[in-house]
């Protein structure tokens, strides 16, 4: 049975849910030797401002928080060589383990594609740790193309982008 997933902007009252999903994902990655985020970056006090600014979206399955992503319109840290106005950027895509392997991540990415299209930006971009082939395969199956690799401080990342087709008027109107 396919689970119905709804995506909506995270509201200030969702800050603890966003933090909890990030902590769960970070712990799962740490258990597998793939530490990703520092725990001080994930506490509600740290992410509350970002949630309040509308940077996070929340996926819910039957009303239960299932996954999140951070959607932003610039990324000078990981994409310093690209024009700021030609893309939107996805960061911190995380899904609760009980929903892993389902459609939560693809639903969140589809939301990001539609939001990028609505903003008139030609690309949706993201980066991930270059040494994570399974995660890279998820993005590639979704349609992202490898753009380049980049060393950013201690992180060696693979950068991906997805070309977004602009909305075109229906020729019948």
């Amino acid at each position: 049975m396919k689970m119905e997933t709804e995506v909506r902007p995270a509201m200030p009252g969702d800050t603890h849910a966003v933090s909890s999903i990030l902590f769960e994902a970070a712990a799962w990655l740490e258990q597998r030797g793939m530490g990703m985020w520092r725990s001080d970056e994930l506490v509600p006090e740290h992410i509350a401002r970002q949630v309040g600014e509308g940077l996070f979206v929340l996926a819910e399955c039957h009303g239960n928080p299932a996954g999140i992503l951070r959607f932003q319109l610039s990324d000078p840290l990981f994409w310093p060589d690209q024009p700021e106005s030609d893309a939107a950027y996805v960061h911190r895509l995380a899904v609760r383990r009980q929903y892993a392997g389902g459609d939560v991540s693809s639903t969140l990415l589809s939301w990001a594609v539609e939001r990028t299209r609505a903003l008139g930006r030609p690309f949706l971009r993201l980066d991930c740790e270059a040494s994570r082939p399974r995660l890279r395969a998820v993005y590639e199956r979704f349609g992202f193309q490898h753009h380049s690799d980049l060393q950013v401080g201690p992180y060696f990342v693979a950068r991906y982008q997805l070309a977004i087709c602009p909305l075109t008027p229906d020729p019948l109107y």
Side-chain angles (χ1 to χ4, degrees):
M1 180 174 131
K2 186 174 168 129
M3 196 163 295
E4 187 169 323
T5 305
E6 304 266 335
V7 177
R8 65 172 177 82
M11 305 305 288
D14 298 316
T15 300
H16 285 278
V18 172
S19 176
S20 174
I21 292 168
L22 287 168
F23 266 112
E24 184 179 321
W28 184 82
L29 288 167
E30 188 69 37
Q31 290 170 354
R32 282 148 188 76
M34 298 181 285
M36 177 67 61
W37 304 306
R38 296 185 336 257
S39 60
D40 65 326
E41 297 176 305
L42 310 179
V43 295
E45 298 78 19
H46 183 83
I47 62 169
R49 179 185 55 78
Q50 297 172 10
V51 171
E53 291 173 356
L55 295 178
F56 279 97
V57 294
L58 179 66
E60 295 177 320
C61 292
H62 302 288
N64 298 312
I68 56 99
L69 69 73
R70 189 172 73 199
F71 183 83
Q72 52 196 79
L73 298 180
S74 68
D75 187 357
L77 182 61
F78 289 96
W79 293 86
D81 56 334
Q82 298 297 311
E84 200 171 278
S85 63
D86 74 346
Y89 302 86
V90 168
H91 284 282
R92 299 208 173 178
L93 174 63
V95 176
R96 287 200 185 279
R97 297 311 311 150
Q98 74 185 78
Y99 300 104
D103 68 344
V104 175
S105 60
S106 62
T107 300
L108 283 162
L109 289 172
S110 293
W111 178 92
V113 166
E114 292 310 313
R115 182 73 181 125
T116 302
R117 181 176 288 123
L119 292 167
R121 303 247 172 150
F123 297 103
L124 179 61
R125 294 187 175 128
L126 57 80
D127 62 85
C128 66
E129 183 64 41
S131 64
R132 296 190 55 206
R134 290 179 64 196
L135 179 59
R136 293 177 69 164
V138 167
Y139 295 138
E140 291 167 4
R141 277 192 304 274
F142 189 84
F144 283 89
Q145 300 291 314
H146 181 256
H147 178 279
S148 57
D149 297 324
L150 186 69
Q151 186 75 44
V152 179
Y155 305 105
F156 184 65
V157 298
R159 301 189 311 171
Y160 283 87
Q161 71 180 16
L162 180 68
I164 304 296
C165 297
L167 291 173
T168 55
D170 188 326
L172 298 176
Y173 292 100

